[in-house]
Structures are given as C-alpha cells and as structure tokens.
Amino acid sequence: MEGTSSDIVLENEDTLQSVSDNSLDNNFCLNEISNSTIDTTLNYLSKILLEEEIYEKNNVHKEGPDLWAMEKPFYDILGQEYPLLLNKLSLSDQPQQHQSCTDSTLQYQIDSSFTNIAVTEFNQGEDEGNILLSNTEKMAINFEADKNWFPSEQRESGDWVMANLDHEDNENEISVINGSRGKRKTSIADLDLVEGCNCKIPVPYLEEPIADTAFDEVLLYPDFYTKDVIRLREIMQTSTWREKQTHQKLPDFEDLLVRCSRLVAADDRQNAEELIKEIRKQSSPDGNANQRVANVLADALENRLTGTGSESYKRFVRKQFSTTDNLKVHHLYMTAAPFTGISISFVNQTILKAVNKASKLHIIDFGINVGFLWPSLIQVLSNEKGGAIKLRITGIEFAQPGFRPAKLVEETGQRLKEYARMCNVPFEYHGIASQWETIALKDLRIEKDEVLIVHSMYRFRQLGDETTGLDCPRDQVLKLIRRIRPCIFIYGIFNWTLSPFFITRFKQAMSLYETMFDILDTLIPRDNNVRQIIERNMLARDATNLIACEGSTWIERPESYKQWHQRTLRAGFEQLPLDPTIVKKCKETLRKFFDKRFFEEEDGDWFLLGWRGRILYGLSTWKPK
C-alpha cells in the first residue's frame, strides 16, 4: 500500500464529498434489499448451523501419535519416565478412531481393546508441562508470520483472511495473549489464561468452507423467513398458557426485589439471604415472565451480596456457547423481533446509496461477531450492473479467552469469503482481535480510492465510559473513527440509562429486564429451548454484570441515544439526515411482519425502535466535520 495512512485519509475526504454531491439512482437496490435482507441473513445463519452440525458429527481425534511424540521429550528433560501406558505403544502406530470423550475419562481403542486414561494422570502431565511454560507473558501469536497456516489455495489467490494479533514494528500494537500496553478496562479478553490451559479441545483446521446445493437453493428461493414468522405466530395463537395465567395469584416481585437490593446495599447479609430464599421459592426459570425475571435478578443479588459477581460473570463468559447455539439465538430473535432485521436493512440500504458507482468499498465493522449483516449486502452487490465492486471488510472483535483469541474473526472471515466467492464478488477480509481503543490507524489498512464505511451495531455499550478514566475507551474509539474520516459512520445503540449508584441502577436494570422478558414471553413459547438459552445464559450473564459487578469488571454500560448523540458531536462528527426512502422501507417491514406492539419513531435524525412505548434501539448516520 503506497502512501501514508494520513495521505489516504485525506484522499478519502474527496471521495466523501463526491458521494454527497452525486445524485444517486439506487431505487432498484433498495427494493431488492428490503425484500431479501432478512431472508439472506437467515440463510447465512442456516449455512453456518449446517457447517457446525457436520463438524460435530465428523470430528475425530487424529493427533494421538504426534501428540505422544511431542510429549515424550519433555518427560525426558524432567528426568521422568513416560507413562507406562503410552510406552507400550509404538509412536509410529496409528490408533483407531476413539469411541468417546467424556469429562471424567479419555478413552482410546488400542489393539482392539479399550484402555482408560484417567483425568488425574492428564492433569498431572499438564502441571508438569506448566513448569516449562511458566513465563506466559512472553507468549505471542503472529499468524501473519506463519504463512503455512493458511490453505495453499488461499495463499495463491488474492483473497486473504488474516488475524492481526501482533506487529513487531508497532510498539503500541497488542498481542492478545500478552495483553495490550497502556490503560485498558477489564473485559472478556482479560479472563484468566488458565482457562485456555484447562480447555484442551482439539482445534479444527480452518479449511475453506464447502458450498452445498441446499445453500444455493435458499439463495435462489429465499422465502423461508416469511414462513418462520407465520409459523411462530401460529404457535403462539394456539398456546393455552395465557388463559391459565390470568387465574394465578402472584406475589409482588418488584417490591420484594427492591427491598432485597436495599438490604444488599446495606450489607445486611442475614435478612438479605432470607429474602432471596423467599424470592426463589416463588419465582421459577420455567414460569411466566415475572417469575423468570425474579429468578435471574435474585441470582444477581446473591452474587453481589457474596462478592462473587466478577467470578460468576467470568463463568458465564467461559461457557463460550457454540456457533450453533449463537446462530439459533440470532435466528429465533430475528424471527420474533424486528430489531436485528430492520437494523440490517437500514445499514445495507445506507451503504448502497453511498457506494454509487465506486470500484472499491471498504467496511470497518466494530463488533463483527459472526458477520450476519453482510451476506445480504454481498448478494445485492453481485447483481450490480457492470459487475460487482471489490469489497473489503475489516472485522474487529474483542479477543476471546483461551489460546485462540482470534477464533471468531477468523471463522467469520472464512465464511464471508466463501459467500462472496459464490456470489462472484471480489472480496478481501482482515480480522483484528484486540481492545478496540488500542487499535492504530495503520492497522486498518486503508487504501486509496475506496469508499470507506465505519459501522458498529449495538456494541459500543461494552466500551468503558467516564468511570474508567477521563479519556475513556468510548471517546478513544470515536476519535479513531474521526481520524479514519469515513464517508459515512453508521452505528446503532441500545437505549437505556444506568446510574453508578447501586439501588437506582438496580431499579433501572429491573425495568430493563422486565421489558426484555416480556418480549420473549409474548412472542416465543415458554418451553422453547433457544429461549431458555437466551434467558438462562445470555440475559442472566448480562444481569450479573449490571448488578453484581463494579469498576473495571462492569462491562455492560448502555447509554441513551441522546447521550450518544452528544458524545458523537463532541468527538467531531455531524449527523446526517435520515433518508426518507430507507425509513419508509423499514416501516413497511415492521408493519408487514411483526407484532403490533413493536413501534418505530423518529427523533431528529435518529430512527428508533421499541416495545410497548419503551425505546430500546436507535440508529443514526454521521460524517466527520
């Protein structure tokens, strides 16, 4: 890449101006994307689910002899005899496929007979191995240096998937294992490295995803989204539990919970514990919305009372839900509620209007997750007259705990690359796993003559606010985006306010979770397994963080859209007006598919979405001044 990042940013200002001045004719794009955005996104999620199921069925341990050959020299160095069981094996022999792998026993089939290796022996070997790896702070992972890590076909082509974890030439660049330099707040990336040591799960080699006929068919006939919405609505209409619940006499959980929060704040352990027991007796994780909320909040209060909030939150995070579970959650939530689907439509239509006839588009996505926003955009770009433009995506995420901190961004890049290949869209992907405020301008690899878009959807709430320091991570990230000087900066926020004072914050959190559980209870059957994942794990995890954590361990910090508006103005941005055509399409989608209790409204140039009069999400577009 020629030129400095600053020169390229200045040249992008001309692109920004030209995009603003040109008259755009993208009505056909808006019509196409409004009808297929949610369908394509759900198709993409289904594809990943299919890949995950295939992997789970076919995953086998093949590394036995290689692992034994690597372990034996360490025993020799320590002057210890290699375990008798493994000494009986020839390191050149190939063991048959293992039959099972449980928490208590690793079982291999050797010489047609099963031999058990107790976990106690496994842990002993792990402890001895830690002697040789005691200085973990010197560990660093640099995938860029190891070119053989990538498939040969991928290295030969122009497409690349890179996990940017460390650069020797930049002293401010982080190594995810070693941690970033400078001030930062504790987050998922700061969880104990020990968790990675204790999680010895075979890691699959990231081969290029394989296309399948079923996936091609859903791309050509994307109609199952409408069927899913209708099916879910029919299930709820035939449910009988609503008639039964009107005859139940339930306690006033709100009063009990507020009283308990005051006892916890006063550190009155005896009375608080008795009240928590009373709440638990009358609440239930399988009851109605109020009972489920009370059950979750009682757990959070107990964690705060016992001082185990941080540890409990880490346990939730360490569960690391499978890609399958995460995508099932996204699928269900998109089917039941409009927030994700309409947000995707809003973002993609805005990008299409900005692209015009550009030859290169670069999207920098803060919080890319599994990348479910971009398949619909790739599909529309493939239908552009005159050929698809070159698409570059820089996917940014927080580092994951364990020895594969960039696993999520790597797998997301592989899938998006495969999707772009199927749609014949020239594509490049660059993944970064780090604390967002530590990212430097040159890490983003901005090129000349590209339409530059910065995007973040509902993830800024996980950045530290002013309680973590005067120059907080939220302001640092906004300043970085200001230096990038994108043509358009699109972001969505989760609209809620939380006080730093505990009792007030607890009341605000209780109101929030009453709303969230009410949405689920109204739209999704109570015995739905995916709903249970959302409530007992994801919502319970966030409630634990909001209520039982303080200081740097308090990660979830939403702000209102008005607070974000002022913060963005201070960072040097000006808000762009809402596009009437895009807003109209989003309103039509909301009215056509979703429950009438969802609503939308506009406040200035913010597009807002909510439930029963409560604004929950806000979308807006900006550009640097």
Side-chain angles (χ1 to χ4, degrees):
M1 185 173 66
E2 299 178 359
T4 65
S5 297
S6 300
D7 295 335
I8 294 172
V9 168
L10 290 175
E11 292 189 19
N12 281 331
E13 293 187 38
D14 298 331
T15 306
L16 187 156
Q17 184 63 38
S18 65
V19 169
S20 301
D21 294 341
N22 289 332
S23 91
L24 305 172
D25 185 18
N26 279 324
N27 287 334
F28 75 98
C29 290
L30 297 184
N31 290 331
E32 287 292 329
I33 198 167
S34 63
N35 293 329
S36 65
T37 293
I38 303 176
D39 296 322
T40 307
T41 303
L42 290 173
N43 294 338
Y44 175 69
L45 299 184
S46 298
K47 169 67 174 177
I48 304 177
L49 287 171
L50 179 62
E51 291 174 356
E52 190 81 5
E53 290 172 359
I54 292 173
Y55 169 72
E56 289 174 354
K57 291 178 181 179
N58 297 316
N59 181 35
V60 295
H61 296 285
K62 299 179 180 179
E63 74 282 15
D66 295 333
L67 177 63
W68 301 334
M70 184 171 58
E71 285 179 342
K72 191 174 185 302
F74 288 100
Y75 279 88
D76 295 338
I77 293 172
L78 294 171
Q80 298 182 10
E81 184 179 356
Y82 199 58
L84 180 63
L85 170 65
L86 300 183
N87 279 332
K88 292 180 179 179
L89 298 173
S90 170
L91 296 179
S92 62
D93 292 341
Q94 293 292 334
Q96 299 181 20
Q97 176 177 325
H98 79 286
Q99 300 301 310
S100 64
C101 180
T102 65
D103 292 336
S104 60
T105 303
L106 297 176
Q107 193 173 62
Y108 293 86
Q109 185 177 0
I110 303 171
D111 297 332
S112 301
S113 63
F114 289 107
T115 306
N116 292 332
I117 305 175
V119 167
T120 53
E121 292 185 21
F122 182 87
N123 290 337
Q124 180 183 357
E126 178 186 281
D127 294 339
E128 293 165 349
N130 285 339
I131 298 174
L132 301 175
L133 297 173
S134 59
N135 191 0
T136 59
E137 292 190 357
K138 295 182 179 179
M139 296 176 65
I141 297 176
N142 188 344
F143 291 115
E144 187 173 12
D146 187 5
K147 309 254 188 246
N148 293 325
W149 185 83
F150 300 101
S152 57
E153 179 182 349
Q154 186 173 316
R155 293 196 303 273
E156 294 171 0
S157 68
D159 297 331
W160 44 271
V161 178
M162 186 70 69
N164 183 17
L165 301 182
D166 193 15
H167 287 283
E168 295 179 357
D169 58 343
N170 181 8
E171 64 180 5
N172 293 322
E173 180 68 13
I174 71 165
S175 164
V176 176
I177 295 295
N178 193 24
S180 65
R181 297 179 175 89
K183 186 180 352 181
R184 58 183 283 188
K185 71 181 182 67
T186 302
S187 71
I188 296 175
D190 301 313
L191 296 178
D192 297 335
L193 187 61
V194 177
E195 289 302 310
C197 300
N198 292 337
C199 186
K200 295 183 178 295
I201 301 174
V203 179
Y205 180 73
L206 288 179
E207 294 286 358
E208 185 172 352
I210 300 174
D212 57 77
T213 304
F215 191 36
D216 293 337
E217 289 177 354
V218 296
L219 288 178
L220 295 174
Y221 308 102
D223 59 351
F224 76 94
Y225 169 71
T226 304
K227 295 179 181 178
D228 282 355
V229 174
I230 295 173
R231 187 182 304 114
L232 181 61
R233 192 171 297 169
E234 290 175 349
I235 291 173
M236 295 305 297
Q237 289 175 350
T238 58
S239 297
T240 58
W241 58 265
R242 294 186 180 280
E243 298 177 2
K244 296 179 180 179
Q245 73 169 355
T246 57
H247 302 290
Q248 297 176 351
K249 184 177 181 180
L250 299 174
D252 185 358
F253 285 115
E254 183 173 343
D255 179 64
L256 291 174
L257 289 166
V258 171
R259 282 168 49 201
C260 187
S261 70
R262 291 196 177 101
L263 293 172
V264 171
D267 199 25
D268 187 346
R269 297 194 171 219
Q270 181 177 355
N271 291 323
E273 288 173 356
E274 291 178 357
L275 197 50
I276 288 173
K277 290 179 182 178
E278 181 181 346
I279 293 171
R280 283 201 174 121
K281 287 180 181 179
Q282 302 179 74
S283 64
S284 169
D286 301 312
N288 65 13
N290 289 334
Q291 290 174 310
R292 297 185 186 209
V293 171
N295 186 75
V296 166
L297 296 185
D299 289 343
L301 286 171
E302 183 179 49
N303 286 325
R304 185 179 181 92
L305 181 67
T306 57
T308 58
S310 178
E311 289 75 12
S312 180
Y313 178 69
K314 287 182 180 181
R315 283 195 296 271
F316 275 117
V317 173
R318 288 166 186 159
K319 288 183 179 180
Q320 292 189 351
F321 300 108
S322 67
T323 305
T324 301
D325 286 342
N326 276 320
L327 293 172
K328 285 179 179 178
V329 167
H330 282 300
H331 187 284
L332 178 65
Y333 200 59
M334 286 183 67
T335 303
F339 307 126
T340 302
I342 288 181
S343 299
I344 295 173
S345 180
F346 179 92
V347 169
N348 287 345
Q349 291 181 58
T350 301
I351 292 174
L352 285 172
K353 297 203 75 172
V355 168
N356 199 16
K357 297 181 180 180
S359 60
K360 290 193 296 184
L361 170 63
H362 184 185
I363 299 172
I364 300 174
D365 188 0
F366 284 86
I368 191 168
N369 204 311
V370 296
F372 57 84
L373 274 80
W374 308 124
S376 57
L377 178 65
I378 291 173
Q379 190 175 29
V380 174
L381 291 176
S382 69
N383 297 325
E384 286 286 328
K385 296 180 180 179
I389 69 174
K390 179 179 179 179
L391 175 62
R392 303 179 65 227
I393 294 180
T394 298
I396 300 173
E397 262 300 341
F398 297 111
Q400 295 182 297
F403 285 133
R404 294 191 64 195
K407 175 183 176 182
L408 182 59
V409 292
E410 291 166 6
E411 294 179 348
T412 296
Q414 290 284 352
R415 293 191 181 99
L416 290 176
K417 175 191 171 185
E418 171 65 11
Y419 199 97
R421 186 192 65 77
M422 292 173 58
C423 294
N424 295 317
V425 174
F427 182 77
E428 289 184 5
Y429 178 86
H430 174 47
I432 301 176
S434 75
Q435 291 301 101
W436 298 357
E437 66 271 20
T438 66
I439 297 172
L441 190 62
K442 69 176 184 178
D443 300 331
L444 302 173
R445 304 181 181 182
I446 300 170
E447 297 180 358
K448 298 179 180 179
D449 304 323
E450 61 183 11
V451 175
L452 187 58
I453 307 291
V454 174
H455 164 270
S456 185
M457 196 54 54
Y458 310 128
R459 295 292 301 282
F460 281 165
R461 72 181 190 275
Q462 294 176 331
L463 294 171
D465 58 17
E466 283 75 8
T467 61
T468 63
L470 294 178
D471 189 18
C472 66
R474 296 185 182 196
D475 291 338
Q476 292 181 48
V477 171
L478 288 176
K479 289 176 182 177
L480 171 63
I481 297 171
R482 174 72 174 80
R483 292 196 301 273
I484 293 171
R485 295 200 63 79
C487 298
I488 296 180
F489 169 35
I490 313 168
Y491 75 90
I493 60 93
F494 183 70
N495 182 71
W496 211 264
T497 301
L498 293 174
S499 169
F501 303 104
F502 172 67
I503 295 178
T504 303
R505 184 166 95 224
F506 179 81
K507 293 178 181 178
Q508 293 166 335
M510 182 170 59
S511 178
L512 167 62
Y513 285 99
E514 285 174 349
T515 300
M516 301 306 293
F517 276 78
D518 180 47
I519 293 174
L520 297 176
D521 205 46
T522 303
L523 302 173
I524 304 173
R526 290 178 179 172
D527 58 352
N528 184 282
N529 292 331
V530 181
R531 174 181 168 180
Q532 292 175 0
I533 293 175
I534 296 173
E535 293 178 344
R536 300 178 188 180
N537 295 285
M538 297 178 176
L539 291 180
R541 174 197 63 201
D542 294 345
T544 298
N545 188 256
L546 289 175
I547 294 168
C549 296
E550 292 288 352
S552 61
T553 61
W554 176 15
I555 308 299
E556 298 289 336
R557 296 172 180 260
E559 288 183 325
S560 70
Y561 72 94
K562 293 181 179 179
Q563 290 173 300
W564 274 108
H565 183 94
Q566 294 302 319
R567 187 185 293 276
T568 311
L569 288 175
R570 291 195 303 269
F573 292 87
E574 59 179 308
Q575 193 170 20
L576 298 174
L578 290 171
D579 186 288
T581 306
I582 295 176
V583 171
K584 180 181 177 182
K585 295 295 181 182
C586 291
K587 290 180 178 180
E588 289 176 355
T589 301
L590 181 64
R591 288 193 296 267
K592 182 177 180 180
F593 290 112
F594 296 100
D595 191 283
K596 302 304 179 184
R597 283 160 285 196
F598 290 110
F599 72 94
E600 52 73 28
E601 66 180 54
E602 299 171 48
D603 184 2
D605 291 314
W606 282 87
F607 184 68
L608 307 172
L609 296 166
W611 169 260
R612 295 189 195 267
R614 292 180 180 269
I615 298 173
L616 295 175
Y617 297 91
L619 296 158
S620 64
T621 57
W622 302 74
K623 68 176 182 179
K625 289 182 181 178

